[in-house]
Amino acid sequence: MLQALSKAMFSVLADSVVLKKIASRYGMRRERSFARRFVAGETMEELIAAVRALEAQRLETTLDHLGERVTDREAALSAALDYAEVMKAAAAAGISRNVSVKLTQIGLDIDRATCIDNLRRVLEAAREVGGFVRIDMEDSSYTSDTLDAFETLWKIGYTNMGVVIQSCLRRSPEDVRRMNRLGARIRLVKGAYSEPRDIAYHRKQDVDQAFVALMEVLLTDGHYPAIATHDPAMIDATLAFAAAKHLPRTAFEFQLLYGLRRDLRRQLVAKGCPVRVYVPFGKEWFPYFMRRLGERPANIAFVLKSLGREDPDR
Ligand code: FDA
């Protein structure tokens, strides 16, 4: 209940132009600035350094060039071309070519054709470097369009991509069945957006229960699923189910967000589990950052503390 309220409040604040301006000024400029906890940096160089540090700890990565809700055709095309450049640069640097993309960043709010054309560009670029594209899932107003765009391209042979399903949505069991039938790789998450009660669970215990049920379906009938959570109870349930079914540790992977629960990911690597870290970077970090604050109000104290250490330009 508290978490649902906090998500709702931070999703309103994420649209604030003034707050974004202030945050952009202070959030990233030094190693210890507050947004650096969740975002690897604004440049490709900072991204490469962060990924190399993670890979040295036997962690896989997926790269998110931040951006969303683009309403301008040129900006959507430019975001798709940027992704192609990121993959080329990643291949040249010898780091991960696994990326995560939001469809509203490449034109879903403009029209379906623009979005599909741009997604195709990203998928072609990924093919050239042997990469993989994960389509992030945004709020529920985009769920059907995202899955439809995914299926359209999948059916014409673009199978170097995966999708995300949110356990908070009541529709998700059917979406999981649909994506499993295609043979698609699913990343299971709880869901980061504030959603209406008639289509989504609000109580943590309901979201968690749905997560466990979907995890069991994915580990049984899925295709190299990704269990993306920092919740020890969800991770323990996954390990217990995998053990009961005699699944090898390599039949699925865990995914965690950059900067969160570094202790947990170390423990999982030590157990021999594949672990992938979602590494966001780029200048458009504000909405992503606000979602992370909304998930855990304790993070606000952390931000206020770091602001106390700032030395603002005057
Ligand atoms: P839960 O919220 O119950 O938190 C469990 C524990 O994790 C907390 O007690 C705390 O220790 C830690 N924790 C969680 N969030 C934290 C935070 N912000 N700061 C500090 N500690 C925190 N969502 C979505 O809607 N679409 C998507 O495409 C994705 N993609 C995605 C990729 C990956 C790799 C991950 C890990 C997550 C996503 N998400 C997402 C976000 C997801 O939906 C969810 O909002 C967060 O992962 C938080 O939920 P948990 O499962 O971690 O559990």
Side-chain angles (χ1 to χ4, degrees):
M1 180 66 178
L2 205 63
Q3 197 175 37
L5 271 175
S6 164
K7 270 187 186 175
M9 185 176 90
F10 276 89
S11 89
V12 173
L13 292 178
D15 288 332
S16 160
V17 178
V18 177
L19 214 55
K20 181 175 178 187
K21 228 170 154 176
I22 298 170
S24 305
R25 189 154 174 225
Y26 301 123
M28 277 295 220
R29 54 203 202 146
R30 288 196 280 120
E31 277 292 301
R32 295 175 70 201
S33 296
F34 56 85
R36 290 258 180 179
R37 163 144 184 226
F38 304 106
V39 179
E42 291 192 340
T43 66
M44 192 67 206
E45 290 69 36
E46 287 166 329
L47 172 76
I48 291 171
V51 169
R52 286 203 171 125
L54 292 166
E55 288 180 349
Q57 298 163 57
R58 290 187 287 144
L59 295 159
E60 306 279 347
T61 53
T62 180
L63 318 178
D64 172 15
H65 189 227
L66 291 162
E68 54 198 90
R69 290 166 66 183
V70 166
T71 50
D72 173 76
R73 217 172 284 277
E74 265 177 44
L77 172 61
S78 148
L81 298 177
D82 281 351
Y83 260 103
E85 286 306 312
V86 166
M87 280 185 277
K88 258 194 227 157
I95 61 164
S96 164
R97 279 142 273 167
N98 182 313
V99 294
S100 288
V101 181
K102 288 184 176 45
L103 291 191
T104 63
Q105 187 179 4
I106 56 171
L108 192 60
D109 277 333
I110 300 167
D111 57 49
R112 180 182 153 86
T114 304
C115 177
I116 297 251
D117 283 351
N118 283 334
L119 180 54
R120 213 167 157 159
R121 287 186 175 96
V122 177
L123 290 164
E124 288 289 349
R127 255 188 195 167
E128 276 171 32
V129 296
F132 180 82
V133 180
R134 177 76 62 176
I135 314 295
D136 283 344
M137 189 55 82
E138 300 174 72
D139 73 57
S140 60
S141 65
Y142 298 109
T143 310
S144 293
D145 289 346
T146 301
L147 297 179
D148 290 349
F150 182 91
E151 187 164 350
T152 301
L153 286 175
W154 181 277
K155 284 186 167 161
I156 57 168
Y158 290 98
T159 54
N160 56 333
M161 62 173 170
V163 72
V164 178
I165 298 287
Q166 298 151 328
S167 73
C168 69
L169 294 187
R170 297 176 195 269
R171 60 177 284 167
S172 287
E174 179 48 38
D175 290 338
V176 163
R177 280 192 287 278
R178 174 178 168 194
M179 292 296 120
N180 275 352
R181 277 196 300 272
L182 283 182
R185 275 162 64 170
I186 292 176
R187 171 201 292 156
L188 178 63
V189 301
K190 291 190 185 178
Y193 299 87
S194 173
E195 300 289 358
R197 197 177 283 278
D198 56 328
I199 59 161
Y201 303 112
H202 276 196
R203 291 192 319 163
K204 177 174 161 57
Q205 71 191 81
D206 295 335
V207 177
D208 288 359
Q209 207 174 2
F211 190 99
V212 171
L214 294 173
M215 172 277 289
E216 292 182 358
V217 173
L218 287 173
L219 261 57
T220 309
D221 295 326
H223 308 272
Y224 192 63
I227 307 303
T229 179
H230 318 91
D231 187 340
M234 300 299 104
I235 290 174
D236 289 348
T238 306
L239 291 173
F241 187 77
K245 296 280 168 192
H246 306 290
L247 295 175
R249 288 270 153 93
T250 50
F252 59 95
E253 68 183 26
F254 286 109
Q255 295 190 356
L256 287 85
L257 297 175
Y258 183 79
L260 267 61
R261 296 302 310 260
R262 285 165 269 212
D263 54 335
L264 196 54
R265 70 188 195 208
R266 258 197 309 275
Q267 289 163 20
L268 290 170
V269 169
K271 284 184 178 143
C273 303
V275 179
R276 189 177 302 277
V277 179
Y278 183 105
V279 189
F281 82 106
K283 291 195 186 305
E284 292 299 320
W285 50 264
F286 185 68
Y288 175 89
F289 172 71
M290 292 302 273
R291 280 197 292 278
R292 301 295 78 82
L293 291 191
E295 277 157 2
R296 197 159 178 259
N299 286 336
I300 300 166
F302 158 80
V303 170
L304 293 175
K305 237 161 93 188
S306 356
L307 272 178
R309 287 199 302 263
E310 287 290 337
D311 173 24
D313 289 335
R314 291 183 194 277

